[in-house]
Amino acid sequence: MVVKKRVTLKDVATVAGVSKMTASRALRGASDVSKSNVDKVRQAAKDIGYIGNHLALSLSSQRSNLIGVIVPSVANIVFAEVLAGIAEAIENSGMQPVFGVTDYDATKEYDAVRNMLSWNPAGLIVTGLDQPEDTRRLLLNADIPIVQIMDTDGDPVDVCVGFSHVRAGEAMAEALLATGRKRFGYVGCGLVQDTRANKRLGGFKRALAKRKLGVIGIETSEEHSTLAAGRRLTAQVLKKIPELDCIYYSNDDLAAGGAFHCISEGIAVPEQLMLAGFNGLDLVKSLPVRIATSLTSRRDIGIEAVNVILRRQREGSDTKNRCFDHPPHIDLGL
Amino acid sequence: MVVKKRVTLKDVATVAGVSKMTASRALRGASDVSKSNVDKVRQAAKDIGYIGNHLALSLSSQRSNLIGVIVPSVANIVFAEVLAGIAEAIENSGMQPVFGVTDYDATKEYDAVRNMLSWNPAGLIVTGLDQPEDTRRLLLNADIPIVQIMDTDGDPVDVCVGFSHVRAGEAMAEALLATGRKRFGYVGCGLVQDTRANKRLGGFKRALAKRKLGVIGIETSEEHSTLAAGRRLTAQVLKKIPELDCIYYSNDDLAAGGAFHCISEGIAVPEQLMLAGFNGLDLVKSLPVRIATSLTSRRDIGIEAVNVILRRQREGSDTKNRCFDHPPHIDLGL
DNA sequence: GTTGGTATCGATACCGGTATCGGTATCGAC
DNA sequence: GTCGATACCGATACCGGTATCGATACCAAC
C-alpha cells in the first residue's frame, strides 16, 4: 500500500462510475440525479470513507458554515456558559462555531477578528461594544451579521444582545439601599480593561449619589477574579473600613470569596454585612450563606446571538441596528 | 458605490501594479521580491483593507492552520480550563483552535470528528480514549496527529495526554485509608457515559477491596454535576447510612455541594466526615472547610496536547504511540 | 416523423489563493 | 563581448469542491 491520500469527491465519482458533478449532487440535495445513481454514489462514498472538504466547499460556494465567536476568556465560567448557549443554538443548524480568545487584550482581539474574517464566516459574535477604532472598522466593513454580546451600553456595529451594565449597577444599588444599607464598600478585580465591570460600578455609584451616599471603601486588584482574591480583598477592605454594612463585588467569584472570609471570621452574612456579587452563578445559589447577586442569562444571550445570525441568513437583513435586551434579575438572597 | 465585494489578492496586486503572485509573495515570506515591491504591496493591502482568505490559502497549500478540539462540554470548568491551556499554547503558533462540543453524546462526537476532519485540520484533540468503533476508524484514517486527552487507561489512536483514572481512584482510596477512614460512601452524577468517573470509582473500590473494605453507601444521579446536586445527594446518602466517615465524590462540584450541606447541618468536616472530590478546583481551595481532592493539571494537559501537534508539524512523526502522563496530585486538605 | 418537455448527466469555468517553473534583467568575471 | 549566476517576476496549473449551461435520452403529443 502506498501513501494514504485523502479521499476526494473525484474518487467517489470514479468508484460510482459517474462524473464528479453527479457525485456532488447525489451527496447533497440529490435533485436532478436518478435514484439509482444516488444509491451508487452514497454507497461508494461510504465504501471508500469519503469525508468531504469544507475548505473547497466554502471557497467554491462562497459561503461557509462557520460562525466566529470571540470571547475574552474561556476559563471564566460566565463566557463558558455563553459558549454553551451558542453551541446549543447552533446544533442542527448545520453551522459550526469557531472560537477565538482575546485574553482581554485589544491587540489580540483585533487579530482574532481579522483571522476570523479570513475564514469567510457566516456571522461573527464578539464580546462587548467597546472595540477600538481599527477593530470596529474591520467589523463594519465585514459584510456579514455581527453580533456584539454582553453589553448594550453603547452603539453596536450591527446588532447587540445583552443588557445595560450601567442599569445593572444602578438596580443593585437601589435594591441594596432598599434594605437599609448605608455604608458601602466595593471590591473588584477589574483589570482596567474590564469596561463592563466599570460600567456597573459607575451605575452603582450614581444610584448611591442620588441618595447622597457613596462608596466609602474600595479595594481593587489587577489580577483575575478568583475566590482567593475575593477572600483576600474582602479582608483588606474590612480591615481599613470595618464599619461597612454592604460590599458590592465586581462579580460572584469575588463575592463568594468574601462569603468564605466572613464564614471563617464569624461575620454574620447578611445580618451584619451584606454581600452582593454579579452573575448569579451556580456557586452563589449553593453557598451556605445568602448573598445578593444579579442573575444574568448567559446561556440565553448565547442562544439569541446565534439566532440573530441564523435568522439573518434565512430572511435577509431585517433587524439591522437592533438591540436585544436580556436584563439581569436581582436576587437579594433573603 | 456598488455592491461591496470582498477585497482579494488580485485587487491588491492591481493597486500595487504587480502580479497576483508577486503580491502573494510580498505579503508572506517576502523572499524573491524586491524591497520596493514589498513596500508597494504592503501599502496597497493596507489601503484597500485586504484581509486574506484562509479558505483559499488552506485549500491551495494543502495544509491548514486549524487545530480541532473536541470536548464533551464547555460549561464544565474543567474542560474550559483545558481549552484555556490549549488557547494559551496555540498563541503565537499561527494556529487557530476550532472547538466542537459533544455533550457526552457518541453520535454527536462522531459528527463533530467528521466535521472537523472536513476542514483539513493540522491536528485533532479529542477527549477520552473510549470512542466507539466508527469514530475510532475515522481517527485512525485521518492522516494527521490525533491527541486524545484526559485519559491514559486504554489504547490511544495515536498519542494520549492525561492520566490514569483507575490509578487516580486507587491513590485517593489509599490516601484516605491512611487517615484511618473505614466507612466509605460514594456520590456521583456519573451519566452512564462518564467512563472516566467510572474508572476512578473502579480503582477506588479495588484499592478498598485490598483491605477487605468496600463502598457501603452509594448515591448517584443521571443529571449533570452541580453544587446543588452534591448537596442533595450527600443529604440522601447520609440519611441512609449516617455512620459514613468518608465520602468520595465523582468530582469537586459535588464534593463542594456536600461541604455546603455539612456546614449547614453542623457536621464537622473533616473530623466527623471526610469529603474527597476530584479535580482540585479553585472552589475547593477556598472553601471554609477542608476537603480532599486530586489536583489535575488541566491547563498543562491542554498545553501539552497542542505541543504534541506543533512538534509533529515541525519534526515529523517522532512520538508515535506515546502517552504523556500528567498524574494528579492528592491534596487531603489537612 | 417531428416536436417539445422533462429527467438526467457531464464539461467547463470558476472560488482565491499557492507551487512550480520558465523567462527576463542585472551584474561580475573572464 | 560572452557567459553564468543571481534576483526578481509572472503564466500556468493546480487544490477540491460547486454553479452554470448545454447535451443527451426518453416519452407523450401532434
Side-chain angles (χ1 to χ4, degrees):
Chain A
M1 174 173 159
V2 278
V3 161
K4 192 165 43 180
K5 242 198 89 345
R6 215 192 144 77
V7 176
T8 79
L9 185 61
K10 178 146 192 164
D11 301 328
V12 176
T14 308
V15 171
V18 299
S19 76
K20 226 174 72 169
M21 207 50 237
T22 301
S24 169
R25 281 193 273 248
L27 289 179
R28 15 176 204 139
S31 88
D32 264 28
V33 190
S34 68
K35 180 86 179 53
S36 82
N37 268 344
V38 170
D39 293 342
K40 264 192 286 186
V41 171
R42 291 246 171 87
Q43 189 59 46
K46 187 183 284 183
D47 286 348
I48 63 180
Y50 176 66
I51 300 223
N53 186 330
H54 256 116
L55 294 171
L57 190 160
S58 302
L59 178 62
S60 148
S61 61
Q62 293 292 74
R63 61 194 150 71
S64 86
N65 70 340
L66 294 178
I67 293 184
V69 182
I70 296 176
V71 292
S73 153
V74 275
N76 183 330
I77 187 72
V78 171
F79 293 111
E81 289 183 22
V82 173
L83 296 188
I86 290 176
E88 179 186 326
I90 250 177
E91 176 117 343
N92 301 329
S93 70
M95 295 284 137
Q96 166 100 17
V98 190
F99 300 117
V101 180
T102 69
D103 247 333
Y104 296 93
D105 177 317
T107 308
K108 288 190 197 170
E109 182 179 48
Y110 177 82
D111 291 342
V113 168
R114 219 185 133 97
N115 195 325
M116 222 47 110
L117 288 177
S118 77
W119 286 101
N120 261 31
L124 202 52
I125 298 174
V126 300
T127 308
L129 284 172
D130 306 289
Q131 285 77 23
E133 191 47 35
D134 51 354
T135 306
R136 196 180 164 87
R137 190 163 38 238
L138 229 43
L139 295 175
L140 276 169
N141 287 337
D143 200 23
I144 53 172
I146 306 285
V147 183
Q148 289 166 295
I149 56 172
M150 304 309 280
D151 194 356
T152 61
D153 295 316
D155 179 33
V157 166
D158 181 358
V159 174
C160 64
V161 177
F163 53 86
S164 162
H165 288 260
V166 174
R167 281 210 307 279
E170 284 175 359
M172 181 55 89
E174 283 158 12
L176 294 172
L177 283 166
T179 70
R181 305 289 152 162
K182 290 200 166 54
R183 297 180 300 279
F184 294 91
Y186 178 81
V187 164
C189 279
L191 299 307
V192 185
Q193 309 98 308
D194 192 344
T195 51
R196 288 180 291 284
N198 287 333
K199 286 176 179 178
R200 291 196 294 275
L201 177 55
F204 190 82
K205 283 179 172 169
R206 190 163 71 180
L208 292 188
K210 281 189 193 155
R211 306 282 191 93
K212 311 269 185 247
L213 289 172
V215 171
I216 58 175
I218 187 160
E219 205 71 36
T220 61
S221 162
E222 287 298 306
E223 70 203 293
H224 279 307
S225 295
T226 59
L227 291 165
R231 201 164 176 162
R232 198 184 64 248
L233 293 173
T234 301
Q236 287 175 18
V237 75
L238 285 176
K239 189 165 182 198
K240 290 187 193 163
I241 324 262
E243 65 270 27
L244 292 179
D245 63 5
C246 184
I247 302 179
Y248 188 38
Y249 293 83
S250 61
N251 61 50
D252 278 350
D253 292 294
L254 296 178
F260 291 158
H261 170 79
C262 292
I263 293 172
S264 297
E265 296 295 312
I267 301 172
V269 174
E271 296 77 9
Q272 181 181 349
L273 177 65
M274 197 159 173
L275 307 180
F278 184 81
N279 268 328
L281 299 189
D282 181 35
L283 167 61
V284 168
K285 296 178 205 152
S286 302
L287 237 36
V289 299
R290 309 303 300 168
I291 71 179
T293 190
S294 303
L295 277 129
T296 58
S297 8
R298 283 92 62 191
R299 181 172 286 266
D300 290 342
I301 290 176
I303 292 175
E304 174 110 51
V306 170
N307 284 337
V308 167
I309 294 176
L310 295 181
R311 270 202 303 274
R312 204 54 100 57
Q313 290 234 120
R314 285 198 297 271
E315 307 164 10
S317 114
D318 47 351
T319 53
K320 196 77 176 173
N321 244 323
R322 277 206 54 196
C323 256
F324 295 85
D325 200 10
H326 291 250
H329 169 263
I330 286 186
D331 175 8
L332 288 178
L334 300 176
Chain B
M1 171 173 164
V2 277
V3 162
K4 190 167 43 180
K5 243 199 91 337
R6 217 192 143 77
V7 176
T8 79
L9 185 61
K10 176 142 194 171
D11 302 327
V12 176
T14 307
V15 170
V18 297
S19 77
K20 227 173 75 169
M21 206 52 237
T22 301
S24 170
R25 282 193 272 249
L27 288 179
R28 16 178 204 138
S31 90
D32 265 28
V33 190
S34 68
K35 180 88 177 56
S36 82
N37 268 344
V38 169
D39 292 343
K40 264 192 285 186
V41 171
R42 291 246 171 87
Q43 189 58 47
K46 188 184 283 185
D47 287 347
I48 64 179
Y50 176 66
I51 300 224
N53 186 331
H54 256 117
L55 294 172
L57 189 159
S58 302
L59 178 62
S60 146
S61 61
Q62 292 292 73
R63 62 194 149 72
S64 87
N65 70 340
L66 295 178
I67 293 184
V69 182
I70 295 177
V71 292
S73 154
V74 274
N76 183 332
I77 187 72
V78 170
F79 293 110
E81 288 182 23
V82 173
L83 296 188
I86 289 176
E88 180 187 325
I90 251 178
E91 178 117 342
N92 302 329
S93 71
M95 295 283 139
Q96 166 101 19
V98 190
F99 300 118
V101 179
T102 69
D103 246 333
Y104 296 94
D105 178 317
T107 308
K108 288 190 196 168
E109 183 180 46
Y110 176 83
D111 292 340
V113 168
R114 218 185 134 99
N115 195 325
M116 222 48 112
L117 288 176
S118 77
W119 287 101
N120 260 34
L124 202 51
I125 298 175
V126 299
T127 307
L129 285 173
D130 306 290
Q131 284 78 23
E133 191 46 35
D134 51 353
T135 306
R136 197 179 163 87
R137 190 163 38 239
L138 230 42
L139 295 174
L140 276 169
N141 287 337
D143 200 22
I144 53 171
I146 305 287
V147 183
Q148 290 166 294
I149 56 171
M150 305 308 280
D151 195 355
T152 61
D153 295 317
D155 178 33
V157 167
D158 181 0
V159 174
C160 64
V161 177
F163 52 87
S164 162
H165 287 261
V166 173
R167 281 210 306 278
E170 284 175 359
M172 180 54 89
E174 284 158 11
L176 294 172
L177 283 167
T179 70
R181 305 289 153 161
K182 291 199 165 59
R183 296 180 301 279
F184 294 90
Y186 177 81
V187 165
C189 279
L191 299 307
V192 185
Q193 309 98 309
D194 192 345
T195 52
R196 288 179 290 286
N198 288 332
K199 286 176 179 178
R200 293 197 292 276
L201 177 56
F204 190 81
K205 282 179 174 170
R206 190 163 69 181
L208 292 189
K210 282 189 194 155
R211 306 282 190 94
K212 310 268 187 251
L213 289 172
V215 172
I216 58 175
I218 186 162
E219 205 71 37
T220 61
S221 160
E222 287 299 305
E223 71 203 293
H224 279 307
S225 296
T226 59
L227 292 165
R231 200 164 177 164
R232 199 184 62 246
L233 294 173
T234 301
Q236 286 175 19
V237 75
L238 285 176
K239 190 165 180 198
K240 290 186 193 163
I241 325 261
E243 64 269 29
L244 293 178
D245 63 6
C246 184
I247 302 179
Y248 187 39
Y249 293 83
S250 60
N251 61 50
D252 277 350
D253 292 295
L254 295 178
F260 290 158
H261 170 79
C262 292
I263 292 173
S264 297
E265 296 294 311
I267 301 171
V269 175
E271 296 78 10
Q272 181 181 349
L273 176 66
M274 197 158 172
L275 306 180
F278 183 81
N279 269 327
L281 299 189
D282 181 35
L283 168 61
V284 167
K285 296 179 206 151
S286 303
L287 238 34
V289 299
R290 310 303 301 168
I291 70 180
T293 190
S294 303
L295 276 131
T296 58
S297 8
R298 283 92 61 191
R299 180 174 287 266
D300 290 342
I301 290 176
I303 292 175
E304 174 110 53
V306 170
N307 284 337
V308 167
I309 294 175
L310 295 180
R311 271 203 304 274
R312 205 54 101 57
Q313 290 233 120
R314 284 198 297 271
E315 306 164 11
S317 119
D318 47 351
T319 52
K320 195 77 177 172
N321 244 324
R322 276 205 53 196
C323 255
F324 294 86
D325 201 9
H326 291 250
H329 169 262
I330 286 186
D331 175 8
L332 287 177
L334 301 176

